[in-house]
Structures are given as C-alpha cells and as structure tokens.
Amino acid sequence: MKKDEENLEYFAKNNKKMDDRDILPSIEFLENIALEYNSDGTERNFAEKLEACRHEKYRSADASALTGESVGIDSEKLDRVPEGRFNTEVDGAYFECFYQASEYDYLYVVLDTMRDDKTIAKGPLPRFHKWSWSTFLKGHLLSIEDPMYFESDISVGWFYGTKERDYRDATAKLVMRVARLLGIPNEHIIFYSVSSGGTSGLFTAEKISGSVAIASNPQLDLTRFLPSALANFKECTGIDLAYEKEYGDAGRVDFTHVLSRNSLSKYLVIINCRSKIDFNDQLIPFCNELGITPRYGLQKVGNLIIWVIDAPGPHPHLYYESKTMYFAIDFLAKTLAEGGDIDRLKSLYIMFSEFWHEKAGLIAGDPECLDDADPVGKSFAEQLKR
C-alpha cells in the first residue's frame, strides 16, 4: 500500500498528552513579570513592560510573509513543509497555503471563509485568516484558502468540491501529509475557523479520526444559510444543496449526519445568540434534531461542546474572538480532546462569556453595556479632571 493511500487513522494515537498545564487556562508569557529597577534605583515603567510583552506576542508578526512568492510543491513527494506561502494540488483540487512553524507539537489548521465582491474581483490572496496569530499560537499554523475560489466567482465554497469529488477529502489528505512530516498525531490537529471556514473544519475534521474542530458561528446545515449564497452556489457549481441533502450525500451538507456516524473526532461550536442567522436559523434546529435545548455557556453532547455566547454588535455574525480569548477557547478544545472534565469548567466559562459580552458591548457602544460601567468610577473620573 502506498504511503498516501494509508488509512487516515494511521496517525491516530496518543503520542503525547497535553504539554500545557491542564488545570486552568493560562497566558504564560504574562506570568511571573515583576517590577524592575533602573541602575539608579528608580522604578521602570511597569505598564510599558507589560505592553512590550503583549506587542511581541500579539502584534509582531511580519506581514511581508504574505506578499512573498507562493512556492509550488508536489504534495505526494512532500519531504518538508516550506515556511510562508506555498501551493499544491491534491486529487484535482488546487490549494494555496500559508505555513508558520512552532516548537509545540500541535498543528492549527485555519480554513478560509466567505468572500465579498471586492475579494472576488481582486482574487483570493492574501486571505489567510489568523496568519498573524503564529506569534502566540502554541503550535504550527497552516492556513488554507478554499480551492473552490480558484474555479469560479463563487462567494462561499465550504471546501465542498464537485458532485464527484469532495474537496474536504483532499484537504484532509493535505493536512495529514503535513502533520506526518511534523510528527504530529491526529489528536493534536486542531481546525480553528469562523463562519463557512468553521463549517469546512467541522466536516474535514471527521475525516481525520481523533482531530479537533473549533468553529465560531458555522453553518451547521448549509441549506439554512443565506438564500442568495445558496443560489450563487448552485449557479457556480450546478449543485442544489437542498436536493443533495434530501436525495444525495447529506453528510456533505448537514453536520448532524456527521455526528450520527459516531465520529471519533471532537468538536467545539461557538454560537453568538445575538445573531439570528446563527442562533435561530442554525443552532435551534440543530439542537432540535439532537433532542436538546440550547443554553447559555457550555453544553456537552457526546464528542461535541456547544458554547453559546452573547456578543452585542452591529454585525453579530461577524464577531471575532480577541487574541486573548484564544487561550480560553484553546484550553477548552484541548480539554475536550484529552477527555477532560468539562462540567467543572461550566461556571468559569459563564464568566468568560460575560467578559466577552461586556467587551463586545463596549466596542459596539451598546447602551446597556455602557450603563453597566461602574458609576463610582465615572464620578471619580470627573473629579480627577478638576
């Protein structure tokens, strides 16, 4: 049997447990920072030191890495993973990728999401979401553009493919080849995307037994997405997703069919209850099919965690977690992957949810969130101006 034809479960083994502390979420680069003194004994600016640490981790990524030439490689003869941009073909699907190495033995896979008219007109690149997160992710970063966008002016592709070829199969093969070169087991492969990219991650993770998918505001059933997007999809591909769900391969359209196949992978779905197209149109019917009722905070069903948040804003579908919130999300995903106790985290993640709510509301200028600001602090601020 050829290497690239080996079963995708080849690499599914518990090679290593969490290399992180498995007690509570942490931001290690901000721990153990103490006040320092100048040579004359005066105190150095403590806040400046903290800001320097944050800048190094959160804002120091080199954007020139995106503008470099994309290197063409043969995925079947892959002997190394090139840093920066590269392109390859797998089973007839063309992939543009961005890779950043890490000292940690996790592989984060970010699948790109829906395009707008401007992106369609000017091409898909550079569109590698979360590319700058490589400075603080505790693992390698592999960002992949949807191969559907190289074939037509389709607005959202979901890594779907054609009637005959499933591009998520091709994506899984590419990810597995990269993971094997890096010595990373399936359980340390984490798909991490939003919206349609999150959807693609959910469907692709099932094909890599034991992997993890984090999806924020994904389409759990493609047929419940925007009618204009579904019409555009049919026009560009000739595929009627409603027909495919009813008479074709529903497992490519409806995530409940993935769960019904007793997938060995793990899933974390984050839904903003302020977004009607996500909470009302996607999560509620999804939970009805599972026989559960959505609730605020964490809810575990088998190998799935649903985290319902409440993030105000003018475009609630398009909220994005902060870079700092990644550490809470990542801890939750890794705890799920390792079979840890989720119940003990529920109260903590209600508090994280409230922090998320407050920050989103303050950024959006939500009147209720602004009213919740400490009135004593407001009065002190007025006094300090005098």
Side-chain angles (χ1 to χ4, degrees):
M1 180 180 292
K2 294 181 180 179
K3 185 175 182 180
D4 63 333
E5 294 177 344
E6 292 173 347
N7 192 289
L8 289 179
E9 294 187 12
Y10 168 86
F11 219 63
K13 57 184 178 181
N14 289 316
N15 184 43
K16 186 187 291 186
K17 291 294 182 183
M18 278 187 184
D19 52 58
D20 304 319
R21 290 174 301 169
D22 59 356
I23 301 173
L24 290 173
S26 65
I27 305 176
E28 292 181 2
F29 69 83
L30 290 177
E31 296 179 1
N32 302 316
I33 296 180
L35 176 65
E36 295 179 350
Y37 295 87
N38 297 310
S39 58
D40 61 0
T42 58
E43 301 91 348
R44 292 184 178 177
N45 190 305
F46 192 59
E48 284 185 0
K49 183 175 183 180
L50 290 170
E51 279 303 303
C53 290
R54 295 187 187 104
H55 185 277
E56 179 183 1
K57 289 296 183 179
Y58 290 154
R59 294 178 285 277
S60 63
D62 183 4
S64 66
L66 289 176
T67 60
E69 183 180 354
S70 179
V71 178
I73 63 172
D74 185 340
S75 65
E76 295 187 2
K77 300 178 180 178
L78 194 62
D79 58 359
R80 69 179 183 87
V81 187
E83 291 263 5
R85 287 178 54 185
F86 70 89
N87 63 81
T88 190
E89 187 173 305
V90 180
D91 294 345
Y94 176 78
F95 292 97
E96 280 280 357
C97 308
F98 178 81
Y99 169 72
Q100 288 290 311
S102 170
E103 61 182 309
Y104 297 97
D105 70 334
Y106 280 88
L107 174 63
Y108 293 90
V109 182
V110 180
L111 303 183
D112 273 343
T113 185
M114 189 173 182
R115 298 190 298 177
D116 55 24
D117 292 340
K118 180 179 178 181
T119 308
I120 292 172
K122 295 188 176 181
L125 299 175
R127 265 195 13 117
F128 299 119
H129 296 293
K130 290 185 171 65
W131 72 270
S132 63
W133 289 33
S134 60
T135 57
F136 62 89
L137 283 177
K138 304 195 77 173
H140 304 259
L141 172 65
L142 176 64
S143 187
I144 307 176
E145 182 61 87
D146 191 332
M148 299 288 286
Y149 298 149
F150 298 99
E151 299 181 355
S152 72
D153 288 342
I154 194 170
S155 60
V156 57
W158 292 295
F159 284 68
Y160 191 91
T162 67
K163 290 183 179 180
E164 297 77 22
R165 292 180 296 161
D166 187 342
Y167 285 178
R168 297 160 190 161
D169 285 332
T171 306
K173 287 183 180 180
L174 174 59
V175 171
M176 283 298 301
R177 289 170 189 172
V178 170
R180 291 184 187 181
L181 276 176
L182 299 174
I184 294 174
N186 287 15
E187 291 78 10
H188 287 198
I189 298 173
I190 301 178
F191 292 86
Y192 189 10
S193 301
V194 302
S195 191
S196 63
T199 302
S200 304
L202 294 174
F203 284 95
T204 305
E206 187 226 355
K207 303 175 185 300
I208 303 178
S209 181
S211 64
V212 180
I214 304 170
S216 298
N217 278 350
Q219 292 80 57
L220 300 168
D221 181 342
L222 306 189
T223 67
R224 298 192 192 117
F225 196 45
L226 302 172
S228 59
L230 298 178
N232 172 262
F233 188 91
K234 182 177 180 180
E235 178 184 357
C236 292
T237 66
I239 299 172
D240 183 334
L241 291 173
Y243 180 89
E244 290 300 314
K245 178 184 175 181
E246 185 70 24
Y247 303 106
D249 186 355
R252 296 176 66 182
V253 179
D254 187 349
F255 183 56
T256 56
H257 284 261
V258 172
L259 292 179
S260 69
R261 292 197 285 249
N262 297 318
S263 168
L264 296 178
S265 298
K266 310 292 178 64
Y267 308 97
L268 169 58
V269 172
I270 306 170
I271 298 287
N272 184 9
C273 71
R274 296 280 176 133
S275 175
K276 180 181 181 300
I277 64 171
D278 297 301
F279 188 77
N280 298 72
D281 297 348
Q282 294 288 340
L283 185 64
I284 291 177
F286 175 75
C287 287
N288 286 340
E289 291 186 47
L290 295 182
I292 61 174
T293 301
R295 62 183 64 193
Y296 188 50
L298 302 184
Q299 188 171 10
K300 186 173 184 294
V301 185
N303 56 347
L304 165 71
I305 293 178
I306 300 170
W307 183 6
V308 174
I309 65 167
D310 176 18
H315 305 291
H317 173 70
L318 300 177
Y319 80 89
Y320 291 95
E321 69 274 12
S322 68
K323 293 176 178 179
T324 300
M325 188 58 73
Y326 147 79
F327 293 93
I329 295 171
D330 185 61
F331 179 85
L332 188 59
K334 289 178 179 176
T335 301
L336 176 65
E338 298 290 339
D341 184 4
I342 301 299
D343 286 339
R344 70 184 179 90
L345 299 174
K346 287 184 176 179
S347 296
L348 177 64
Y349 277 78
I350 287 289
M351 185 169 65
F352 286 151
S353 300
E354 285 299 284
F355 282 138
W356 204 331
H357 168 78
E358 289 179 356
K359 181 176 181 180
L362 291 173
I363 291 174
D366 181 76
E368 293 183 350
C369 289
L370 292 172
D371 285 344
D372 288 340
D374 188 352
V376 175
K378 291 179 182 178
S379 63
F380 275 135
E382 290 301 318
Q383 292 181 39
L384 290 172
K385 292 179 181 178
R386 299 170 184 170

